[in-house]
Amino acid sequence: MQEPRIFGVEGPVWIAPGFKEKWTVPDHRRRLLAIARQVEEQESIIGMSPHMLAVGTKS
C-alpha cells in the first residue's frame, strides 16, 4: 500500500506582503501559484500552509 501524499494547499505565499492585491493581477497570481507548487510537498515548509490536502489511492 502506498502512503498518501500530503500537500500544503496555499504554502507560504499567503503571508506575502500585499497578497490580496497581488492575487488580483494575473501575472502576479501565476508567480504566486508557481512558488506554491514548488514547495507544496517540502516537509520543512508544509506547516506554513493553513490548509493541507492528503491524496491517496484505494487498493
Side-chain angles (χ1 to χ4, degrees):
M1 184 169 153
Q2 189 177 24
E3 292 291 319
R5 293 172 62 190
I6 308 295
F7 296 88
V9 177
E10 295 92 346
V13 299
W14 68 276
I15 59 174
F19 173 80
K20 287 185 179 184
E21 294 79 22
K22 290 176 182 170
W23 190 254
T24 64
V25 179
D27 187 48
H28 291 176
R29 182 183 307 157
R30 279 190 290 276
R31 291 179 188 180
L32 291 167
L33 288 170
I35 293 167
R37 286 183 188 114
Q38 288 175 355
V39 299
E40 67 189 0
E41 288 189 88
Q42 288 187 10
E43 290 183 23
S44 62
I45 297 176
I46 202 165
M48 293 181 73
S49 184
H51 299 95
M52 295 181 198
L53 175 70
V55 178
T57 57
K58 184 177 176 181
S59 48

